[in-house]
């Protein structure tokens, strides 16, 4: 079975632009979470979605938004990009809405560079 | 505030040595979950273990073992007889419910383990 897939793999944007990152969970998984991992740091939790509803949110500004589609895939949108948004963006899926007890399966990430 | 501290930034060992990665956490909640993930050079985080706050039993899985001690708020990870393939960044993480009924994950900054042949 295919794992979590993310697109694109790499992305270069300039300050002020908008970006959309995409994630497809493992087949049968209904929950998707997004993380930001700045170089040399641990992942920072951004959002969790289950059945198209937001179930968790980290401490990120409103420039960050996400949504989940009926097929459980998800998009992460970031508006008005800042240099500090340069990071690896990770998507993780889990089979249930069990929330914090769920084992999460991570994708390879999207490397975003903001110039 | 909730926090996960991995004080060891980088550890180098020679193959077959045992190595322990430390994790100390802070939380106000009585119900929480602790995790360890491995991030190899490929970048994908790989789940290793989950432990809930009510289960303090140590666990062993092959060459891996985990020591959870609530009294010291620690959840340490030991690799026995390390191998070159163990080289990766290891993250400890904490998850807990918020007062609004949602939950959040907090990762430590990671420990880079280098196993030398």
């Amino acid at each position: 079975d295919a794992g979590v897939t993310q697109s694109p793999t790499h992305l270069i944007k300039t300050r002020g632009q908008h970006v959309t990152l995409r994630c497809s969970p493992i087949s049968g998984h209904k929950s998707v979470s997004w993380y930001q991992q700045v170089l040399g740091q641990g992942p920072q939790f951004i959002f969790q979605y289950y059945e198209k509803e937001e179930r968790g949110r980290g401490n990120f500004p409103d420039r960050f938004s996400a949504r989940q589609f009926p097929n459980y895939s998800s998009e992460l949108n970031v508006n008005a990009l800042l240099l500090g948004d340069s990071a690896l963006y990770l998507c993780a899926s889990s089979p249930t809405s069990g929330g914090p007890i769920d084992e999460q399966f991570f994708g390879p990430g999207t490397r975003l560079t903001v110039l | 505030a909730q926090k996960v501290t991995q004080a060891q930034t980088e550890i180098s060992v020679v193959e077959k040595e045992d190595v322990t990665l430390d994790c100390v956490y802070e939380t106000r909640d009585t119900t929480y979950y602790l995790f360890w993930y491995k991030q190899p050079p490929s970048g994908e985080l790989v789940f290793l273990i989950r432990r809930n706050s009510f289960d303090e039993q140590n666990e062993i899985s092959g060459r891996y073992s985990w020591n959870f001690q609530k009294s010291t708020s620690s959840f340490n990870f030991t690799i026995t007889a390390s191998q070159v393939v163990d080289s990766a960044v290891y993250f400890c993480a904490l998850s807990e419910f918020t007062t609004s009924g949602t939950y959040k994950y907090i990762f430590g900054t990671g420990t880079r383990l280098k196993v030398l042949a």
Side-chain angles (χ1 to χ4, degrees):
Chain A
D1 284 342
V4 176
T5 59
Q6 292 185 243
S7 63
T9 306
H10 295 86
L11 202 52
I12 298 175
K13 293 284 189 178
T14 57
R15 281 177 295 175
Q17 285 189 312
H18 161 270
V19 67
T20 298
L21 310 181
R22 296 178 175 82
C23 171
S24 292
I26 291 172
S27 177
H29 286 196
K30 299 181 178 181
S31 175
V32 169
S33 298
W34 286 95
Y35 293 83
Q36 180 195 66
Q37 186 177 16
V38 174
L39 194 62
Q41 300 293 318
Q44 296 239 352
F45 176 61
I46 309 176
F47 289 110
Q48 194 243 359
Y49 276 78
Y50 176 75
E51 292 282 14
K52 297 178 289 180
E53 290 189 3
E54 182 183 300
R55 299 293 295 268
R57 172 186 283 258
N59 294 326
F60 280 81
D62 292 343
R63 299 185 296 108
F64 288 77
S65 63
R67 56 179 175 168
Q68 186 177 34
F69 299 99
N71 66 355
Y72 304 115
S73 66
S74 177
E75 284 183 354
L76 174 70
N77 294 285
V78 186
N79 292 323
L81 285 167
L82 304 174
L83 295 179
D85 295 331
S86 295
L88 180 67
Y89 287 84
L90 295 165
C91 173
S93 75
S94 53
T96 71
S97 66
I101 71 170
D102 271 352
E103 171 185 347
Q104 295 191 77
F105 297 81
F106 284 82
T110 293
R111 171 74 61 189
L112 172 65
T113 302
V114 181
L115 302 177
Chain B
Q2 298 79 15
K3 187 178 178 181
V4 175
T5 301
Q6 295 180 256
Q8 304 152 307
T9 304
E10 184 169 315
I11 300 176
S12 292
V13 298
V14 177
E15 208 171 17
K16 299 184 182 177
E17 286 185 350
D18 299 347
V19 59
T20 296
L21 310 182
D22 297 333
C23 173
V24 174
Y25 63 92
E26 296 176 29
T27 179
R28 294 167 294 189
D29 287 2
T30 56
T31 302
Y32 53 89
Y33 297 84
L34 295 163
F35 301 78
W36 275 95
Y37 283 86
K38 174 182 180 180
Q39 189 172 41
S42 62
E44 293 189 35
L45 283 158
V46 177
F47 168 85
L48 295 177
I49 190 172
R50 169 186 56 234
R51 172 68 73 232
N52 75 56
S53 52
F54 299 107
D55 181 2
E56 289 192 70
Q57 282 194 343
N58 292 331
E59 181 159 338
I60 298 174
S61 176
R63 296 185 297 106
Y64 296 169
S65 63
W66 291 268
N67 184 305
F68 176 31
Q69 292 194 341
K70 285 179 74 171
S71 61
T72 56
S73 297
S74 65
F75 186 42
N76 297 336
F77 172 33
T78 297
I79 301 174
T80 302
S82 59
Q83 300 175 1
V84 172
V85 293
D86 296 327
S87 297
V89 181
Y90 291 85
F91 290 97
C92 179
L94 163 73
S95 71
E96 59 187 11
F97 281 102
T98 68
T99 54
S100 60
T102 59
Y103 68 93
K104 59 182 180 182
Y105 286 82
I106 303 155
F107 279 79
T109 51
T111 296
R112 180 177 298 278
L113 174 65
K114 292 184 177 179
V115 181
L116 309 173

